[in-house]
Amino acid sequence: MKLRLIVLFLFLMAVGGCAPPQQTGNVADTNKRIKIGFAMATVKEERWQRDRDAFDAHCKKMNVDCEITVADNSSSRQANDVD
């Protein structure tokens, strides 16, 4: 349960960071692509496979770069992926 909460938290952080570039003084740099990372603990269960595929499809629909990592239930590997 704790691991699912961590994954959900990371997902919400990633989605929350998906905002269009803000203008600060001059015109915003619209040439930069948005990049989103999604660090997953596992995809052994069908539910996480569906989430991964849906997340990837939505990133493509939004035309943003998406990097999905799977840590095979290794918390240290997942933390390294996030770093």
Side-chain angles (χ1 to χ4, degrees):
M1 182 62 145
K2 183 178 179 182
L3 188 57
R4 287 184 180 178
L5 290 175
I6 292 170
V7 172
L8 177 61
F9 177 76
L10 293 171
F11 174 76
L12 293 175
M13 284 180 50
V15 173
C18 298
Q22 299 294 319
Q23 291 186 356
T24 54
N26 296 333
V27 177
D29 184 358
T30 56
N31 294 326
K32 287 186 177 181
R33 286 187 53 86
I34 295 173
K35 185 172 186 178
I36 301 171
F38 187 11
M40 301 182 74
T42 184
V43 288
K44 288 183 180 179
E45 293 87 8
E46 182 182 346
R47 180 238 198 266
W48 296 117
Q49 294 169 15
R50 285 193 315 262
D51 284 355
R52 177 199 56 204
D53 296 343
F55 187 81
D56 189 46
H58 191 70
C59 286
K60 288 177 181 170
K61 181 179 175 183
M62 292 176 51
N63 195 31
V64 298
D65 293 332
C66 178
E67 184 173 338
I68 300 172
T69 62
V70 180
D72 297 324
N73 286 321
S74 167
S75 58
S76 61
R77 181 173 169 194
Q78 188 172 15
N80 189 51
D81 290 345
V82 171
D83 287 340

